[in-house]
């Protein structure tokens, strides 16, 4: 009982100033030689003010940008955005086909099972560093007919 309480207090102190909880972050595994990748995560805002994710950085990539996808005449296009807003008491999910953190100019291979560090900076002045496991993610241009399937964890078929 006492142990649990101490653990809870330690957690509390880590996030004392941050209303945002970053959960289930991961980066997309890419084939050898590919220069870009993307990272995804869930951002939960437990505060009563909107908070923006304003930047991210990682030693694994030369540049890290915030991106979104938009459907332009039936073609999915990526573009850079200034921020990802997490409204008060809301959760914003960065996922394939939507908002994502773009890793440009990879400095290392991203193989399944590895992980990379990433630092997130928020508009409330807080930063958080996370370790992102590298996962296999279905390519974006695959069949999108199964829109109800929200699973981001697809199994490798080979
Ligand atoms: Cu992108």
């Amino acid at each position: 009982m006492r142990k649990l309480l101490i653990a809870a207090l330690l957690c509390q102190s880590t996030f004392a100033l941050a209303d945002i909880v970053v959960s289930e972050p991961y980066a997309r595994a890419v084939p050898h030689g590919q220069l870009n990748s993307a990272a995804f995560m869930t951002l939960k805002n437990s505060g009563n003010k909107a908070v923006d994710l304003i930047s991210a950085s990682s030693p694994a990539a030369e540049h890290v940008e915030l991106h979104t996808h938009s459907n332009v005449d039936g073609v999915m296009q990526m573009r850079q955005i200034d921020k990802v807003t997490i409204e008060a008491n809301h959760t914003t999910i960065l996922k394939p086909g939507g908002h994502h953190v773009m890793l440009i100019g990879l400095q290392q291979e991203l193989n399944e099972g590895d992980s990379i560090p990433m630092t997130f900076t928020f508009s409330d002045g807080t930063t958080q560093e996370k370790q992102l496991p590298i996962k296999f993610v279905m390519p974006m241009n695959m069949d999108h007919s199964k829109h109800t399937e929200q699973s981001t964890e697809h199994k490798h078929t080979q």
Side-chain angles (χ1 to χ4, degrees), residues 38 67-69 78-79 100-102:
H67 277 197
T68 193
H69 275 100
M78 266 195 330
R79 63 183 171 86
H100 56 281
V101 175
M102 194 80 192

